[in-house]
Each structure stands twice: as C-alpha cells, then as structure tokens.
Amino acid sequence: MAYLAAALALVSASAQHSGAAVERLKAFETEHGRALPAAVREWYSLAEARTILEPSDNGDHVYAVDELGGSATYYWPGDDDEWPEDLDEQEERHFDPVAMGLLPFLEENQGVYCLAVRLDGSDDPPVVLSWDGVQPDTWQPHASRFSEWVHTRVWDLPLLRGSGTLKGGLKEVTAADLEVLARRLRERPSTTTDSPSPGPAQVWRRFAGTDAGDDQRVLLLSPHTDGGTWTVYFWAASDDLLVDLVTAVRSVLTLHGDLTPAHGPDDVAERALERLNS
C-alpha cells in the first residue's frame, strides 16, 4: 500500500484486498478506456474501503466500487439563465463526469457537497469539491492528493465524532501563531473548502502531538467570514494526553470562551475539563 499505508495505520486496518473489487476496477477501466489513478485503484481494491472512510450507517455516502464512474444529473434554469420560480420548469440534464475528467466518490449526507478525484493523469491526483451535488463545473480545490485526503478523513473522524474530544472557539489566529504551533506540535496535511457564498475559503489545519504523535490531535477551522471566530477541536487517547495537548495550545493561542465536550456526555473530555479548570 505505497500511497495509503499511513491511513491504514491510523485505524489499525489490514490491507486485505477484495477480488470482486479488483475485477470491478478492471471493468471500469475497460468501460471508460482509461486507467484509474494508482492511489484510487489501491484504495478501492480494499475490502474495507468504504467502511474505513465512513463507519456510520447514517453518515456521508462514500461510493461503492460499482458506483464509480456512473452518469450524473444536474438541473439547468433554461435559456435565459434565470431560475424559474416553478422547480418543475427546470431542465434536467445528464452528463458523464469521467469524460470531463472527474471521478465523484463521496456525497455529504444531506447532499450539501460532493467530492471527486480530478483525473489529470497523475498517480495520486487532487480531490475537488462541488456544492449541491455532482455538477459539470464549479469544482474547487480541496486536497492536493487523493492519498492525503484519505489520511485526513480517517484522522478527523475521532475529532468530529468520537469521545475524548473538546471543542472551543479562538480569537484571531495569525500566520505567526500557526508557525509557532507548527514548531511545538507536528503539522499534518491541511485541506481547503471555498465558501458557497461570498467569503474567504475555510482552511482545516491539523496538528499532532510532539511525543504522543497522533494520539493527540488538534483541528483548527478558519472562519468562513471575515473577522469570524475560529473553531478548534482537541482529541486525545486519554485525559492525561488531552490536558497536556490543551495546555500546549493555550500557550500559543487564546481561547474565545470555554471549552466543552464536542459530542455530548464524555467521561474522558469531562475529566480533562475538570483538571483544566481547577
């Protein structure tokens, strides 16, 4: 697993291949007359490719291997380029994303956005994002490489859904602050999401512990609006590590308000908070 070993190590998953998936990938290449990028082929040949990226039944829809390369539908307002008040008057159009150099592979669980691989001929191509589902255009840069996106996806899951997570706000975070934080912690890959409305792109910056590595994780989300509040998530494998992590970040960044458990009742997060507030 040349491209994705680091992601598998994060979740202690094996690189067990699925013979059926490998055959389906070969069929895709025959059907579309083009080779899949090596990193995409490597990941989708795994038996657990989908469940590693989305372990929840009601989470985002990660495409199954046999869904890759399907046609897509979007709606066009009409010849005057103005959306009609009656949605039934919109024109339904079909297109082939692969023919346009796109391979959609994830839809957000409420259809807010879709992710796709940009088929640019590279072995580990970039990931792009489209708001409101699969569209023929308006795709924005999201991650510089598919393998990097997979890594950030599994890295983020404990922070955004797991126990042992604290959430808070931050006052202004400067480039100098980020440089200091990168020296005190270990910087991990960042991803970028342009705003669907006027405003700055949101950057997700990730940092791991210096000694504990990925057993300590910090996720910083820049605001979507000028002058807005940053969001910070802290996750650690134990309350001791969580206390140490928050203390390290507090020495660099100023919290805006109190930290709270990010995902409801949480023994690890609450023990850490009690110690931090004592």
Side-chain angles (χ1 to χ4, degrees):
M1 303 298 290
Y3 294 98
L4 299 149
L8 290 175
L10 280 177
V11 292
S12 301
S14 67
Q16 181 179 355
H17 285 68
S18 163
V22 171
E23 291 304 312
R24 181 64 191 93
L25 294 172
K26 291 178 181 177
F28 172 99
E29 294 179 329
T30 299
E31 177 184 350
H32 292 278
R34 66 192 305 165
L36 283 164
V40 175
R41 190 187 317 110
E42 184 175 281
W43 185 260
Y44 264 97
S45 69
L46 296 176
E48 299 180 86
R50 292 181 72 192
T51 54
I52 292 173
L53 297 178
E54 183 45 73
S56 173
D57 290 338
N58 60 352
D60 298 334
H61 175 65
V62 178
Y63 287 21
V65 65
D66 57 2
E67 293 177 292
L68 294 175
S71 62
T73 301
Y74 71 105
Y75 293 91
W76 185 257
D79 293 336
D80 57 4
D81 291 351
E82 294 183 3
W83 291 103
E85 294 184 5
D86 186 353
L87 297 182
D88 291 335
E89 295 179 10
Q90 296 176 14
E91 178 185 346
E92 184 178 84
R93 292 188 175 185
H94 303 274
F95 73 104
D96 179 1
V98 174
M100 300 181 69
L102 296 165
L103 183 67
F105 66 89
L106 180 145
E107 290 182 28
E108 193 266 344
N109 66 351
Q110 295 181 339
V112 175
Y113 63 82
C114 179
L115 298 180
V117 168
R118 177 78 73 185
L119 299 173
D120 61 359
S122 64
D123 287 337
D124 194 5
V127 172
V128 290
L129 180 149
S130 169
W131 297 103
D132 298 324
V134 180
Q135 302 288 334
D137 50 21
T138 71
W139 292 84
Q140 308 164 355
H142 182 59
S144 60
R145 297 185 302 276
F146 177 72
S147 63
E148 187 172 278
W149 178 84
V150 171
H151 188 273
T152 61
R153 174 73 175 188
V154 298
W155 198 92
D156 290 349
L157 284 173
L159 288 142
L160 301 179
R161 304 185 192 180
S163 60
T165 307
L166 293 171
K167 180 181 180 181
L170 295 168
K171 294 183 179 179
E172 182 182 4
V173 179
T174 67
D177 293 333
L178 294 171
E179 288 180 7
V180 173
L181 199 61
R183 289 196 296 269
R184 298 194 181 182
L185 299 174
R186 296 180 180 179
E187 197 164 7
R188 295 292 188 252
S190 298
T191 49
T192 303
T193 303
D194 281 346
S195 174
S197 55
Q202 186 177 62
V203 182
W204 291 34
R205 291 179 170 87
R206 300 167 177 86
F207 300 87
T210 301
D211 298 321
D214 290 312
D215 281 345
Q216 292 176 309
R217 306 179 195 182
V218 179
L219 177 63
L220 296 179
L221 279 61
S222 67
H224 261 317
T225 57
D226 292 321
T229 301
W230 289 61
T231 302
V232 58
Y233 291 89
F234 300 91
W235 175 87
S238 70
D239 54 311
D240 287 338
L241 290 175
L242 191 53
V243 169
D244 290 345
L245 181 63
V246 173
T247 301
V249 173
R250 274 179 170 174
S251 69
V252 179
L253 305 177
T254 302
L255 292 173
H256 183 66
D258 297 329
L259 290 173
T260 59
H263 311 298
D266 183 334
D267 290 343
V268 173
E270 289 167 5
R271 287 198 302 269
L273 269 182
E274 185 176 354
R275 293 169 59 186
L276 288 163
N277 294 331
S278 63

